[in-house]
Amino acid sequence: MTDTQQESNHIIKLFTVSKEIPMKIISDGQEIGVPDVKLTPGVYEFVSGSYLYRGKICLFQDGYCYDLYNLPKNLTIYGDLDLSGLSLTQLPDLSTTTVLGKFDCSHNLIKDLRGSPLLAKTFDCSVNLELTSFDGATNTVREFIASVCPRVVSLEHIPYAKVYTLNGNPQLQHSPKYPGSKLFECLPDEFDTLNIQDGPAKIDIKDKKINIIDVSYNYRRTSLDDIPESADQVVYNNCANLTDKAISEYNRRRRTFLELQRQTSLEF
């Protein structure tokens, strides 16, 4: 049985209150109509004729309702946890929680990633305009997505991942703590995919082993000198100032690399 099949056997829903809906009532995992009663704004569970207050953000899973700000230790969420667009200024404490699917905290107002899940398959913190650091992020994920985070200038504390999507972050700089360090030396030496469309002019990854690199839509880029010739695929569409000469030079480097690699394999 696959992970997806296992996850699909669980009933998982998130209930949140908003300014427009100051009270929300759930019963058996379904939202029910708000009765003509006055209750403190929040999420309530209707059980045996009683309204039980559960919190402002509640996770319903397999018949149990949890306050996201008061979760039991070592809880496993058997699917995705979507906290996007909730105007959060900080994350709930999920530091002992495992998310078997995607953890999404995008489109919020958080300043760091403290409180992130202990484990998650995919981590998305995109479009957090107040985010200044990846500090607190889940240590290891399959994919890390942090597009359009304009206040993040360093990749310090970035998780270990196989796929990185960092589109729309041209402000990324060398680590302020280590002047002269390479911008992307915080990334693993070897991983699958780097998507960094509309990024910095140079990203210093020449010594990395990356299968697919996408640096498209970058008018700042004038060469491919910083791109490793060992990549299986390099995408540089719509880079207005990237000349044919610069592209030819990269292709020459790549042909030389492949020829040397072929010769080495023949010798052995």
Side-chain angles (χ1 to χ4, degrees):
M1 183 179 290
T2 66
D3 290 344
T4 303
Q5 289 173 324
Q6 289 177 334
E7 291 164 18
S8 65
N9 294 332
H10 297 267
I11 298 172
I12 308 163
K13 294 182 180 179
L14 192 72
F15 295 92
T16 66
V17 294
S18 66
K19 293 178 181 177
E20 294 76 19
I21 308 172
M23 183 176 67
K24 185 168 287 190
I25 297 177
I26 61 174
S27 177
D28 294 326
Q30 300 295 323
E31 186 177 349
I32 61 177
V34 177
D36 188 19
V37 295
K38 292 184 179 180
L39 294 172
T40 303
V43 177
Y44 291 80
E45 189 175 11
F46 186 66
V47 180
S48 300
S50 298
Y51 302 108
L52 305 179
Y53 177 74
R54 295 306 190 194
K56 294 294 182 74
I57 305 177
C58 292
L59 174 76
F60 185 90
Q61 177 172 281
D62 294 345
Y64 292 92
C65 192
Y66 303 96
D67 178 358
L68 215 64
Y69 285 92
N70 191 27
L71 290 176
K73 297 290 185 182
N74 305 314
L75 178 69
T76 296
I77 298 174
Y78 294 96
D80 300 336
L81 179 57
D82 185 357
L83 302 181
S84 62
L86 299 180
S87 299
L88 300 177
T89 56
Q90 64 182 47
L91 294 176
D93 184 5
L94 305 168
S95 57
T96 67
T97 301
T98 295
V99 178
L100 294 186
K102 178 179 181 179
F103 175 67
D104 188 347
C105 61
S106 63
H107 294 82
N108 280 300
L109 301 170
I110 53 179
K111 291 182 170 58
D112 57 46
L113 299 175
R114 294 174 188 172
S116 295
L118 176 67
L119 296 169
K121 185 179 292 183
T122 299
F123 193 112
D124 187 349
C125 60
S126 298
V127 197
N128 269 292
L129 305 186
E130 298 297 322
L131 189 69
T132 59
S133 169
F134 295 140
D135 186 22
T138 304
N139 287 333
T140 302
V141 295
R142 173 69 181 82
E143 180 176 6
F144 183 72
I145 308 169
S147 298
V148 193
C149 294
R151 293 178 183 267
V152 176
V153 298
S154 167
L155 294 179
E156 290 178 273
H157 308 296
I158 199 166
Y160 176 89
K162 289 294 186 181
V163 178
Y164 292 94
T165 299
L166 304 169
N167 297 333
N169 289 311
Q171 79 289 346
L172 290 172
Q173 303 171 5
H174 293 191
S175 168
K177 289 185 179 179
Y178 307 102
S181 64
K182 291 184 178 180
L183 171 58
F184 274 53
E185 67 182 3
C186 296
L187 297 184
D189 290 335
E190 186 172 339
F191 57 96
D192 291 341
T193 305
L194 174 62
N195 297 309
I196 187 161
Q197 297 181 17
D198 187 23
K202 287 186 177 291
I203 52 179
D204 302 317
I205 56 170
K206 197 170 180 179
D207 298 329
K208 304 285 184 184
K209 176 68 175 71
I210 308 169
N211 295 335
I212 301 172
I213 303 168
D214 188 343
V215 293
S216 302
Y217 296 94
N218 190 342
Y219 71 88
R220 305 166 195 83
R221 177 168 288 278
T222 58
S223 77
L224 297 171
D225 293 347
D226 56 330
I227 304 298
E229 56 270 15
S230 59
D232 292 337
Q233 182 181 8
V234 179
V235 184
Y236 42 79
N237 298 330
N238 298 289
C239 292
N241 292 313
L242 185 61
T243 64
D244 290 341
K245 181 179 179 181
I247 295 171
S248 297
E249 173 57 26
Y250 175 75
N251 289 334
R252 184 196 64 77
R253 279 199 296 122
R254 176 159 170 71
R255 282 195 302 272
T256 301
F257 168 80
L258 291 174
E259 287 171 2
L260 288 173
Q261 196 175 48
R262 193 177 300 113
Q263 289 175 8
T264 302
S265 63
L266 287 173
E267 288 175 4
F268 288 92

